[in-house]
Amino acid sequence: TDGGQTWSDNAPVNLFTNMQGSKTPNLILKQNYPNPFNPSTNISYELPYDANVTLKVYDAAGREVANLVSSYQTTGNHTVRFDASGLSSGVYFYKLFVQQGASSITKVNKMILTK
């Protein structure tokens, strides 16, 4: 028994469309530029909606070495400059965490610091 519920064969509504019917753009985390870099680089990303954003840098061992962004940001392109003059040469990772309501997205990219 289905408990008296009504069933339909209609296709589900796509919740990821805007008023014009096109799909919502994805969150984009771009490769830092320049890469490899010394001593600073730019990290760019594109937000498809207003959201709480955290951008952190980690070393190869997974230790946090910098917290670049921790704020509410609006839709659009954003660029953050990362100065690694106090760090040693090596591979680092930058992680973008975006949260809107109950949903969240995390993206990670690798970068190389050469001195």
Side-chain angles (χ1 to χ4, degrees):
T1 175
D2 66 4
Q5 294 180 350
T6 302
W7 296 89
S8 172
D9 289 337
N10 293 338
V13 174
N14 184 352
L15 299 177
F16 297 102
T17 58
N18 62 22
M19 298 301 279
Q20 289 77 32
S22 63
K23 292 196 175 198
T24 302
N26 292 327
L27 171 68
I28 298 171
L29 177 59
K30 298 177 183 175
Q31 184 62 52
N32 65 300
Y33 182 81
N35 188 39
F37 68 98
N38 178 25
S40 62
T41 187
N42 292 318
I43 299 172
S44 297
Y45 52 94
E46 185 176 339
L47 299 175
Y49 43 76
D50 297 354
N52 290 310
V53 176
T54 303
L55 179 62
K56 294 183 178 187
V57 177
Y58 298 87
D59 64 13
R63 294 179 295 247
E64 181 181 325
V65 297
N67 185 357
L68 303 177
V69 175
S70 185
S71 64
Y72 186 82
Q73 294 188 331
T74 58
T75 303
N77 295 310
H78 300 269
T79 300
V80 177
R81 188 151 188 84
F82 172 52
D83 183 357
S85 56
L87 298 174
S88 59
S89 295
V91 175
Y92 292 86
F93 299 89
Y94 52 102
K95 180 172 92 171
L96 181 66
F97 177 76
V98 178
Q99 183 175 19
Q100 183 191 47
S103 64
S104 63
I105 300 173
T106 301
K107 294 205 173 196
V108 179
N109 275 356
K110 178 173 70 170
M111 60 185 169
I112 299 171
L113 171 60
T114 58
K115 289 191 172 186

